[in-house]
Structures are given as structure tokens and as C-alpha cells.
Amino acid sequence: MVAKKAVKSEPAESTGPQKTFTLTDDQTGKSWKLPVLQGTQGPEVIDVRKLYGETGMFTFDPSYTSTASCKSRITFIDGDEGILQHRGYSIQELTEKSTYLEVAYLLLYGDLPNQKQFDEFVHSITYHTMVHEQIHFFFRGFRRDSHPMAVMCGVVGGLSAFYHDSLDIWNPTHRETSAHRLIAKMPTLAAMTYKYSQGLPFMYPRNDLSYAENFLYMCFGVPAEPYKIKPVLSRAMDKIMILHADHEQNASTSTVRLAGSSGANPFACIASGITSLWGPSHGGANQEVLEMLQQIGSKDKIPEFLKQVKDKNSGVRLMGFGHRVYKNYDPRAQVLKKSCDEVLDDLGVKHDPLLELAQELERIALQDDYFAERKLFPNVDFYSGIILKAMGFPTSMFTVLFALSRTVGWISQWKEMIEEPSLRIGRPRQLYSGPTARPYVPMSKRK
Ligand code: CMC
């Protein structure tokens, strides 16, 4: 492990005039003043960092419903209003006017690039897209029927065994090189994962194509003939990537940050993010939505299905609905719903039974008191699978596409954390509820 060195960071955020929050122990009457921090947007935050030292008590928030785990300048969400902004720019404006690589630059560096900065960034990403030739053999160790996310967990973590020259996390050039390598190589690895599952030859990246075009080419092209990229598909792919690029401190991003706080290398940290994303409550939901729609089968079965969803004993959830932060329509779902129509229209699909089923399911659910009372609305995963399926991806690849798009968010959040001068290893505490101290009983004397 390389020793920690001072890292240069941006100036600290102004916390505004110091407000305090008073905490009183009802039994002793003793009280403590806790500082209240203000961000640039969003709720105020009670600073409990000194709480244990001063009171001997911890706070209890197992699923982090009321805990800000870090300070960040990257992404802002107002879940009640359905607002998502990256570095201050709305997701609607970014999906309409920008491209994935421009958004990647924005997330990583904090501002939109000028032409020169953008050209240099695109050049660096483009020329890092190939992977070490030995990685081809690494793939061959996996069964062909492995879930693509299982393969991704392995190969992305494995990158740290290949790129030793960018692993000093305290060196800004190393950090940047690793970030560029990850953004550049994820499409190549994702496409290789797909090809491997199909028993098809790997396609080398093409530097004359855009990021989204190159990814589609590596997935759907074959060496034996030229591959013609449909502009509507590469535009939709680019949009899907922007919509999934970052989402502040969700489970996978928090996993990346926690892994990184120990000084682990960025390839290992991103692999940990992939493992967390895989779960059906998080990125795995896009696969589950499509499987759910296929299982429902037809519009007349919707009421029966929703009855199961509302029955707490059934264990069935309406996948693609509900969100920890959004208590309103997920703005990403709105953009995707529109994109869905455009893509299917352009592909000449007049009636897509799954899209029609999804629209009807959404309509009925939104009128139902169960969903209204709990503020459950469609999330990003509700419509993404329908577009990805229309593009030709099998359901098992959906979460891989989420991981590939989210890599820039993960690495930007990791970089921000490493560049924070007050960085310390993340170490949550607990409310212990196990046995108290007891003597060891020899086996011969146990009942
Ligand atoms: N279907 C049915 N009931 C639901 C659903 C759902 N999809 N989501 C939440 N609820 C109910 C839940 O049963 C609970 O009801 P009650 O108060 O009666 O016990 C209430 O709504 C609150 O749910 P929760 O589980 O406490 O909410 P959470 O914030 O812990 O969970 C969630 C958020 C996304 C895990 C959850 O809404 C869910 O499981 N949704 C389906 C999976 C899904 O679509 N995930 C993708 C999330 S967006 C992509 C991403 O960022 O990863």
C-alpha cells in the first residue's frame, strides 16, 4: 500500500451562518448544541461527528433514511419535486442537448468542457478502449451460461491485476488515468461479456465511432461482415447512458465510496459497486421488470397481478416502481418513456405488446390508492428494459448496461472522496443486541 499523501482539493463549501440544533437528554436535562450545516440546495444537515465524543451515544439509522454519509458537489436530487441535476444541469437538458462523454467530463471534472478540453478527453477515452490481450483468456475461465453480471464482477476487479501503472491513488495522474481507463474499457468488457455468452468472437473497438456507436458495434457487429449502425439506436443508447450516469449516494455508489475509503484501488472499488448494483432492489430491477411483464402476459391479468403486489404475504413487488428518494415521478423514467416511443417508431414497431402492457400497468397503478398513499411512481427501470429489448439485448445484459453507464458516476464520486483532505476510512457503528459477556463452556459440559 502506498502511503497517503496530501491531495489538492477544491476550496471547501461555505456552510453559511452557523446554526445549531439542541439535543436534550430528558432524564438528566443535559443538553448539547450540534452544528447545522447547509448545502447549496436540499435539506439542512445536523453535524453529529462529535456526538459520541461528547455524549457517549451513537445515532441509529440502519438503512440511511436520514443520514448524509458525505459532502458532494456532483449530483443533486429533490425526490419530492422529481428533480435530478448533475453539477447544476437538469437531466432533461442534458439528455436533450448533451452527449454521454460530455456528461462524463462534467461529472468527473465539475464543468462542461470547452472544445479543446472535450477533444482531448474524447481522444484519451477512445485510445484507452482496448483491453490487455490476456483478458481474453480470463473470460475463458467462465462458463458460457454465467450471468453477465457475474462475469463483470470478476473481469472489472481483475483490471487491477493488469494496470499496475495507475494504482497509486494519491497520485492525481494515476487517478485520472484509472478513471479514463475505466470509462473507456467498460463498453469493451460489457460487449465481450455479451459475445462470450453467445459463443461469438470478440470485436475489437473502433476509434472512428462515437462511444455509443462503438459499444453497439462491439455487441452486434461480427468480423465476417460490415455492421451498419442505426442512428436512432446509437442516439437512444447515448441517452440511456446519460440517464444512468450518476445518482448521488445510492447503494452501489456508497459501496464504492466505502470500499475506496480504505485506500483500495479504483478497479477493485468499481467491482464492488457492480456487485451492489446487481441486486433486484437496485440495478437488477431492469431485468426483473421485463420478466415481470412477460409473466403478466396480457392486460386482462393486470388486476390479478396488482392484487398479489398489494398482498404483503405474497412477497411480490411491482418492479420498476417506487424509490427511496423519489416520492414523485422519476424524471429519468419520463425521458425514457418518450425515448421508448421514438425508438420503437423508428424501428417500425407499430404495436409492441410489452410497451402497451407497461403503459396500461402504469396507468392502473397510478390510479390505485395503494401506490398513491405510498407515493410509488415509475422509476428509471420501468421503461429501460423495453428499449434495450427492442435494440436486441437479452434481459440478462440489462444490468450490465446500467453498470457500464454508472461507471463514470462511481469513479467521479470515488475521485471526489479521495481528493477530500478530511478523508478517513468509513466505519459505521452498531446497536449491539447479542449476548452479553459469558464464560466459555467446554463441549463435554454443553447440553
Ligand atoms: N411494489 C409494491 N410495494 C412497494 C414497492 C413496489 N415496487 N415499493 C415500495 N413498496 C411499499 C412497501 O411494501 C412499503 O409498504 P408499507 O409501508 O405498507 O410497508 C412502502 O411501499 C415503502 O417501501 P420500502 O421498501 O420501505 O421503500 P424503500 O425506500 O426501502 O425501497 C425500493 C425503495 C426501490 C427498494 C422499492 O420501492 C422497491 O423494491 N421497488 C421495486 C424495485 C425497483 O424498481 N428498484 C429500482 C429502483 S430505481 C433504480 C436504482 O436507482 O437502482
PDB file of all heavy atoms in Angstrom, residues 303-318 368 370-371 374:
ATOM      1  N   PRO A 303     -55.075  -6.659 -13.113  1.00  0.00           N
ATOM      2  CA  PRO A 303     -55.718  -6.556 -11.790  1.00  0.00           C
ATOM      3  C   PRO A 303     -55.317  -7.702 -10.857  1.00  0.00           C
ATOM      4  O   PRO A 303     -55.031  -7.468  -9.671  1.00  0.00           O
ATOM      5  CB  PRO A 303     -57.221  -6.596 -12.117  1.00  0.00           C
ATOM      6  CG  PRO A 303     -57.308  -6.158 -13.547  1.00  0.00           C
ATOM      7  CD  PRO A 303     -56.058  -6.613 -14.213  1.00  0.00           C
ATOM      8  N   GLU A 304     -55.254  -8.892 -11.396  1.00  0.00           N
ATOM      9  CA  GLU A 304     -54.884 -10.055 -10.576  1.00  0.00           C
ATOM     10  C   GLU A 304     -53.444  -9.907 -10.056  1.00  0.00           C
ATOM     11  O   GLU A 304     -53.139 -10.171  -8.896  1.00  0.00           O
ATOM     12  CB  GLU A 304     -55.000 -11.283 -11.471  1.00  0.00           C
ATOM     13  CG  GLU A 304     -54.969 -12.612 -10.760  1.00  0.00           C
ATOM     14  CD  GLU A 304     -54.916 -13.737 -11.792  1.00  0.00           C
ATOM     15  OE1 GLU A 304     -55.657 -13.669 -12.797  1.00  0.00           O
ATOM     16  OE2 GLU A 304     -54.081 -14.650 -11.613  1.00  0.00           O
ATOM     17  N   PHE A 305     -52.548  -9.414 -10.940  1.00  0.00           N
ATOM     18  CA  PHE A 305     -51.152  -9.224 -10.547  1.00  0.00           C
ATOM     19  C   PHE A 305     -51.039  -8.148  -9.457  1.00  0.00           C
ATOM     20  O   PHE A 305     -50.332  -8.328  -8.460  1.00  0.00           O
ATOM     21  CB  PHE A 305     -50.296  -8.840 -11.773  1.00  0.00           C
ATOM     22  CG  PHE A 305     -48.887  -8.507 -11.406  1.00  0.00           C
ATOM     23  CD1 PHE A 305     -47.988  -9.500 -11.035  1.00  0.00           C
ATOM     24  CD2 PHE A 305     -48.434  -7.188 -11.389  1.00  0.00           C
ATOM     25  CE1 PHE A 305     -46.683  -9.198 -10.657  1.00  0.00           C
ATOM     26  CE2 PHE A 305     -47.140  -6.875 -11.018  1.00  0.00           C
ATOM     27  CZ  PHE A 305     -46.263  -7.883 -10.655  1.00  0.00           C
ATOM     28  N   LEU A 306     -51.778  -7.058  -9.636  1.00  0.00           N
ATOM     29  CA  LEU A 306     -51.691  -5.969  -8.649  1.00  0.00           C
ATOM     30  C   LEU A 306     -52.258  -6.397  -7.292  1.00  0.00           C
ATOM     31  O   LEU A 306     -51.827  -5.913  -6.250  1.00  0.00           O
ATOM     32  CB  LEU A 306     -52.383  -4.704  -9.164  1.00  0.00           C
ATOM     33  CG  LEU A 306     -51.631  -3.976 -10.289  1.00  0.00           C
ATOM     34  CD1 LEU A 306     -52.362  -2.704 -10.705  1.00  0.00           C
ATOM     35  CD2 LEU A 306     -50.197  -3.625  -9.887  1.00  0.00           C
ATOM     36  N   LYS A 307     -53.208  -7.320  -7.330  1.00  0.00           N
ATOM     37  CA  LYS A 307     -53.745  -7.861  -6.074  1.00  0.00           C
ATOM     38  C   LYS A 307     -52.619  -8.571  -5.306  1.00  0.00           C
ATOM     39  O   LYS A 307     -52.473  -8.405  -4.100  1.00  0.00           O
ATOM     40  CB  LYS A 307     -54.865  -8.866  -6.397  1.00  0.00           C
ATOM     41  CG  LYS A 307     -56.038  -8.765  -5.449  1.00  0.00           C
ATOM     42  CD  LYS A 307     -57.228  -9.472  -6.021  1.00  0.00           C
ATOM     43  CE  LYS A 307     -57.728 -10.523  -5.057  1.00  0.00           C
ATOM     44  NZ  LYS A 307     -58.710 -11.415  -5.643  1.00  0.00           N
ATOM     45  N   GLN A 308     -51.813  -9.305  -6.030  1.00  0.00           N
ATOM     46  CA  GLN A 308     -50.662 -10.003  -5.412  1.00  0.00           C
ATOM     47  C   GLN A 308     -49.660  -8.994  -4.855  1.00  0.00           C
ATOM     48  O   GLN A 308     -49.133  -9.161  -3.758  1.00  0.00           O
ATOM     49  CB  GLN A 308     -49.926 -10.829  -6.460  1.00  0.00           C
ATOM     50  CG  GLN A 308     -50.553 -12.147  -6.765  1.00  0.00           C
ATOM     51  CD  GLN A 308     -49.677 -12.907  -7.765  1.00  0.00           C
ATOM     52  OE1 GLN A 308     -48.705 -12.385  -8.303  1.00  0.00           O
ATOM     53  NE2 GLN A 308     -50.023 -14.121  -8.027  1.00  0.00           N
ATOM     54  N   VAL A 309     -49.405  -7.947  -5.639  1.00  0.00           N
ATOM     55  CA  VAL A 309     -48.430  -6.922  -5.214  1.00  0.00           C
ATOM     56  C   VAL A 309     -48.870  -6.299  -3.894  1.00  0.00           C
ATOM     57  O   VAL A 309     -48.059  -6.042  -2.999  1.00  0.00           O
ATOM     58  CB  VAL A 309     -48.277  -5.838  -6.319  1.00  0.00           C
ATOM     59  CG1 VAL A 309     -47.527  -4.622  -5.799  1.00  0.00           C
ATOM     60  CG2 VAL A 309     -47.576  -6.412  -7.536  1.00  0.00           C
ATOM     61  N   LYS A 310     -50.186  -6.082  -3.764  1.00  0.00           N
ATOM     62  CA  LYS A 310     -50.697  -5.400  -2.566  1.00  0.00           C
ATOM     63  C   LYS A 310     -50.821  -6.336  -1.366  1.00  0.00           C
ATOM     64  O   LYS A 310     -51.016  -5.887  -0.250  1.00  0.00           O
ATOM     65  CB  LYS A 310     -52.048  -4.735  -2.888  1.00  0.00           C
ATOM     66  CG  LYS A 310     -51.882  -3.582  -3.870  1.00  0.00           C
ATOM     67  CD  LYS A 310     -53.136  -2.791  -4.052  1.00  0.00           C
ATOM     68  CE  LYS A 310     -54.021  -3.398  -5.115  1.00  0.00           C
ATOM     69  NZ  LYS A 310     -55.252  -2.642  -5.331  1.00  0.00           N
ATOM     70  N   ASP A 311     -50.699  -7.641  -1.626  1.00  0.00           N
ATOM     71  CA  ASP A 311     -50.769  -8.615  -0.542  1.00  0.00           C
ATOM     72  C   ASP A 311     -49.368  -8.770   0.059  1.00  0.00           C
ATOM     73  O   ASP A 311     -48.455  -9.304  -0.570  1.00  0.00           O
ATOM     74  CB  ASP A 311     -51.266  -9.953  -1.120  1.00  0.00           C
ATOM     75  CG  ASP A 311     -51.186 -11.074  -0.091  1.00  0.00           C
ATOM     76  OD1 ASP A 311     -50.860 -10.789   1.083  1.00  0.00           O
ATOM     77  OD2 ASP A 311     -51.438 -12.232  -0.479  1.00  0.00           O
ATOM     78  N   LYS A 312     -49.226  -8.302   1.300  1.00  0.00           N
ATOM     79  CA  LYS A 312     -47.894  -8.281   1.922  1.00  0.00           C
ATOM     80  C   LYS A 312     -47.295  -9.671   2.095  1.00  0.00           C
ATOM     81  O   LYS A 312     -46.086  -9.823   2.233  1.00  0.00           O
ATOM     82  CB  LYS A 312     -47.970  -7.612   3.302  1.00  0.00           C
ATOM     83  CG  LYS A 312     -48.282  -6.138   3.231  1.00  0.00           C
ATOM     84  CD  LYS A 312     -47.051  -5.340   2.859  1.00  0.00           C
ATOM     85  CE  LYS A 312     -47.416  -3.890   2.622  1.00  0.00           C
ATOM     86  NZ  LYS A 312     -46.565  -3.169   1.762  1.00  0.00           N
ATOM     87  N   ASN A 313     -48.151 -10.688   2.094  1.00  0.00           N
ATOM     88  CA  ASN A 313     -47.618 -12.046   2.296  1.00  0.00           C
ATOM     89  C   ASN A 313     -47.107 -12.672   1.001  1.00  0.00           C
ATOM     90  O   ASN A 313     -46.466 -13.720   1.033  1.00  0.00           O
ATOM     91  CB  ASN A 313     -48.706 -12.953   2.894  1.00  0.00           C
ATOM     92  CG  ASN A 313     -49.140 -12.428   4.235  1.00  0.00           C
ATOM     93  OD1 ASN A 313     -48.313 -12.004   5.033  1.00  0.00           O
ATOM     94  ND2 ASN A 313     -50.453 -12.424   4.482  1.00  0.00           N
ATOM     95  N   SER A 314     -47.409 -12.045  -0.136  1.00  0.00           N
ATOM     96  CA  SER A 314     -47.038 -12.666  -1.420  1.00  0.00           C
ATOM     97  C   SER A 314     -45.555 -12.487  -1.741  1.00  0.00           C
ATOM     98  O   SER A 314     -44.981 -13.260  -2.504  1.00  0.00           O
ATOM     99  CB  SER A 314     -47.862 -12.065  -2.560  1.00  0.00           C
ATOM    100  OG  SER A 314     -47.423 -10.748  -2.805  1.00  0.00           O
ATOM    101  N   GLY A 315     -44.954 -11.452  -1.195  1.00  0.00           N
ATOM    102  CA  GLY A 315     -43.546 -11.165  -1.499  1.00  0.00           C
ATOM    103  C   GLY A 315     -43.356 -10.619  -2.914  1.00  0.00           C
ATOM    104  O   GLY A 315     -42.230 -10.486  -3.386  1.00  0.00           O
ATOM    105  N   VAL A 316     -44.473 -10.287  -3.580  1.00  0.00           N
ATOM    106  CA  VAL A 316     -44.366  -9.773  -4.967  1.00  0.00           C
ATOM    107  C   VAL A 316     -44.352  -8.244  -4.927  1.00  0.00           C
ATOM    108  O   VAL A 316     -45.158  -7.619  -4.233  1.00  0.00           O
ATOM    109  CB  VAL A 316     -45.573 -10.257  -5.822  1.00  0.00           C
ATOM    110  CG1 VAL A 316     -45.502  -9.697  -7.237  1.00  0.00           C
ATOM    111  CG2 VAL A 316     -45.619 -11.776  -5.853  1.00  0.00           C
ATOM    112  N   ARG A 317     -43.450  -7.654  -5.671  1.00  0.00           N
ATOM    113  CA  ARG A 317     -43.396  -6.189  -5.780  1.00  0.00           C
ATOM    114  C   ARG A 317     -43.621  -5.780  -7.221  1.00  0.00           C
ATOM    115  O   ARG A 317     -43.310  -6.542  -8.138  1.00  0.00           O
ATOM    116  CB  ARG A 317     -42.036  -5.660  -5.323  1.00  0.00           C
ATOM    117  CG  ARG A 317     -41.919  -5.654  -3.837  1.00  0.00           C
ATOM    118  CD  ARG A 317     -40.934  -4.634  -3.306  1.00  0.00           C
ATOM    119  NE  ARG A 317     -41.157  -4.474  -1.877  1.00  0.00           N
ATOM    120  CZ  ARG A 317     -40.680  -3.492  -1.142  1.00  0.00           C
ATOM    121  NH1 ARG A 317     -39.927  -2.571  -1.678  1.00  0.00           N
ATOM    122  NH2 ARG A 317     -40.943  -3.410   0.140  1.00  0.00           N
ATOM    123  N   LEU A 318     -44.134  -4.589  -7.404  1.00  0.00           N
ATOM    124  CA  LEU A 318     -44.261  -4.074  -8.763  1.00  0.00           C
ATOM    125  C   LEU A 318     -42.882  -3.527  -9.130  1.00  0.00           C
ATOM    126  O   LEU A 318     -42.490  -2.442  -8.692  1.00  0.00           O
ATOM    127  CB  LEU A 318     -45.338  -2.979  -8.807  1.00  0.00           C
ATOM    128  CG  LEU A 318     -45.545  -2.248 -10.126  1.00  0.00           C
ATOM    129  CD1 LEU A 318     -45.699  -3.211 -11.296  1.00  0.00           C
ATOM    130  CD2 LEU A 318     -46.761  -1.342 -10.051  1.00  0.00           C
ATOM    131  N   ASP A 368     -54.356   3.743  -8.359  1.00  0.00           N
ATOM    132  CA  ASP A 368     -54.651   2.866  -7.232  1.00  0.00           C
ATOM    133  C   ASP A 368     -54.188   3.512  -5.917  1.00  0.00           C
ATOM    134  O   ASP A 368     -53.061   4.004  -5.829  1.00  0.00           O
ATOM    135  CB  ASP A 368     -53.887   1.541  -7.472  1.00  0.00           C
ATOM    136  CG  ASP A 368     -54.334   0.441  -6.540  1.00  0.00           C
ATOM    137  OD1 ASP A 368     -54.348   0.680  -5.322  1.00  0.00           O
ATOM    138  OD2 ASP A 368     -54.653  -0.648  -7.036  1.00  0.00           O
ATOM    139  N   TYR A 370     -53.224   2.227  -3.148  1.00  0.00           N
ATOM    140  CA  TYR A 370     -52.043   1.600  -2.536  1.00  0.00           C
ATOM    141  C   TYR A 370     -50.782   2.352  -2.966  1.00  0.00           C
ATOM    142  O   TYR A 370     -49.928   2.688  -2.144  1.00  0.00           O
ATOM    143  CB  TYR A 370     -51.946   0.120  -2.964  1.00  0.00           C
ATOM    144  CG  TYR A 370     -50.681  -0.566  -2.494  1.00  0.00           C
ATOM    145  CD1 TYR A 370     -50.652  -1.290  -1.297  1.00  0.00           C
ATOM    146  CD2 TYR A 370     -49.491  -0.494  -3.227  1.00  0.00           C
ATOM    147  CE1 TYR A 370     -49.494  -1.916  -0.857  1.00  0.00           C
ATOM    148  CE2 TYR A 370     -48.328  -1.111  -2.802  1.00  0.00           C
ATOM    149  CZ  TYR A 370     -48.339  -1.817  -1.619  1.00  0.00           C
ATOM    150  OH  TYR A 370     -47.181  -2.431  -1.178  1.00  0.00           O
ATOM    151  N   PHE A 371     -50.659   2.620  -4.262  1.00  0.00           N
ATOM    152  CA  PHE A 371     -49.450   3.275  -4.793  1.00  0.00           C
ATOM    153  C   PHE A 371     -49.465   4.776  -4.488  1.00  0.00           C
ATOM    154  O   PHE A 371     -48.431   5.356  -4.176  1.00  0.00           O
ATOM    155  CB  PHE A 371     -49.325   3.009  -6.299  1.00  0.00           C
ATOM    156  CG  PHE A 371     -49.186   1.540  -6.588  1.00  0.00           C
ATOM    157  CD1 PHE A 371     -50.292   0.752  -6.897  1.00  0.00           C
ATOM    158  CD2 PHE A 371     -47.955   0.919  -6.496  1.00  0.00           C
ATOM    159  CE1 PHE A 371     -50.169  -0.616  -7.116  1.00  0.00           C
ATOM    160  CE2 PHE A 371     -47.811  -0.446  -6.705  1.00  0.00           C
ATOM    161  CZ  PHE A 371     -48.926  -1.212  -7.007  1.00  0.00           C
ATOM    162  N   ARG A 374     -48.495   5.513  -0.818  1.00  0.00           N
ATOM    163  CA  ARG A 374     -47.065   5.270  -0.544  1.00  0.00           C
ATOM    164  C   ARG A 374     -46.153   6.059  -1.478  1.00  0.00           C
ATOM    165  O   ARG A 374     -44.938   5.902  -1.454  1.00  0.00           O
ATOM    166  CB  ARG A 374     -46.763   3.776  -0.677  1.00  0.00           C
ATOM    167  CG  ARG A 374     -47.388   2.949   0.426  1.00  0.00           C
ATOM    168  CD  ARG A 374     -47.337   1.469   0.126  1.00  0.00           C
ATOM    169  NE  ARG A 374     -47.923   0.683   1.200  1.00  0.00           N
ATOM    170  CZ  ARG A 374     -49.241   0.524   1.411  1.00  0.00           C
ATOM    171  NH1 ARG A 374     -50.099   1.117   0.604  1.00  0.00           N
ATOM    172  NH2 ARG A 374     -49.679  -0.205   2.407  1.00  0.00           N
TER     173      ARG A 374
END
